[in-house]
Amino acid sequence: MSALAHEKRLEIFRLLVKRGPDGFAAGVIAEKLGLPAATLSFHIKELDRAGLVAARQDGRFIHYSANFAVMRALIGFLTDNCCSLAESARATNCSPLTQPVRRKRA
Amino acid sequence: MSALAHEKRLEIFRLLVKRGPDGFAAGVIAEKLGLPAATLSFHIKELDRAGLVAARQDGRFIHYSANFAVMRALIGFLTDNCCSLAESARATNCSPLTQPVRRKRA
DNA sequence: TTCATATTTCCATTATCATGGAATTATGAA
DNA sequence: TTCATAATTCCATGATAATGGAAATATGAA
């Protein structure tokens, strides 16, 4: 949850989401965002610990890509906490995004 | 985005979501979560800055309640960043929670 | 091997956040 | 007013996170 709290990490993650499954090599991310290699490595490790990105070795390069499943789980968690738990909030302006969301649908 | 990163703040927010529109007085929240008044005040101010809670004065009490609109905006933001932006991710396991979500539906 | 490059780890420094007692402010009651 | 209480602000202290150069590690190329 806190992995996306840092602005740089959010930038990294958004970049990878836009990129799709191929991902970017660490150095490319660092260059695109103007980060020193060590700093990028630090942040991407945080994202990795949170399971938000996946690493794939490709020769000397390590490609990082966004993990959509974990992202959806996070969204589901927030959705649950916004709507499903709020018994007394049913009558308020807390309408679900679309349908009521069950926890961790397959 | 980072306001919910802190565990105590997430607890506070969840408590308020479950409570609904009436909210709880600051002291009640502090007591329920076992937090000193100053600490609670610090965290709830963060939530307030993020727009995640609303404050309503009631005599000497200040009632805090969850702001569902901002919560939904946050979920919408995450949903957009998971699915809508990812052109190349369409073919991956990134399926929207239900229907494609348009930004900030009324 | 040797070299070049990609990435990470190390680590000292800095910055930011969190904590909570005490003082302060704000409000209603007596 | 005066008092009691709710809540915030102040502030010193401690904890955690971020930064990035330099060194170490890893991998493929020559």
Side-chain angles (χ1 to χ4, degrees), chain A residues 16-105:
Chain A
L16 293 180
V17 166
K18 277 188 271 192
R19 173 66 163 179
D22 286 351
F24 282 123
V28 174
I29 301 172
E31 194 201 11
K32 278 179 179 291
L33 302 183
L35 293 174
T39 304
L40 184 278
S41 192
F42 169 79
H43 286 304
I44 209 139
K45 192 172 59 174
E46 292 296 300
L47 290 171
D48 192 50
R49 279 202 315 145
L52 285 163
V53 300
R56 172 176 55 84
Q57 182 109 27
D58 172 30
R60 278 179 297 181
F61 301 85
I62 298 179
H63 286 260
Y64 289 95
S65 54
N67 183 338
F68 295 105
V70 171
M71 186 64 177
R72 277 186 295 139
L74 175 59
I75 292 171
F77 171 77
L78 291 174
T79 304
D80 284 353
N81 279 277
C82 175
C83 301
S84 299
L85 290 176
E87 293 301 324
S88 54
R90 287 274 167 71
T92 71
N93 59 348
C94 182
S95 62
L97 284 166
T98 48
Q99 303 290 312
V101 174
R102 269 161 299 289
R103 190 180 281 276
K104 284 189 179 129
R105 58 152 59 192

Side-chain angles (χ1 to χ4, degrees), chain A residues 5, chain B residues 1-6 9 12-13 16 40-55 64-65 67 70:
Chain B
M1 170 73 74
S2 62
L4 289 177
H6 194 276
R9 286 197 293 267
I12 294 169
F13 188 73
L16 293 180
L40 183 278
S41 193
F42 168 80
H43 285 305
I44 211 141
K45 191 172 59 174
E46 292 296 301
L47 290 171
D48 192 51
R49 279 201 315 146
L52 285 164
V53 301
Y64 288 95
S65 55
N67 184 337
V70 170

Side-chain angles (χ1 to χ4, degrees), chain A residues 14 17 19 72 81 88 98, chain B residues 14 17 19 81 88 98:
Chain A
R14 299 224 287 158
V17 166
R19 173 66 163 179
R72 277 186 295 139
N81 279 277
S88 54
T98 48
Chain B
R14 299 223 288 159
V17 166
R19 172 66 164 179
N81 280 278
S88 55
T98 47

Side-chain angles (χ1 to χ4, degrees), chain B residues 6 32 41 51-52 60 69 78 93:
Chain B
H6 194 276
K32 278 179 179 292
S41 193
L52 285 164
R60 277 178 298 182
L78 291 174
N93 59 348

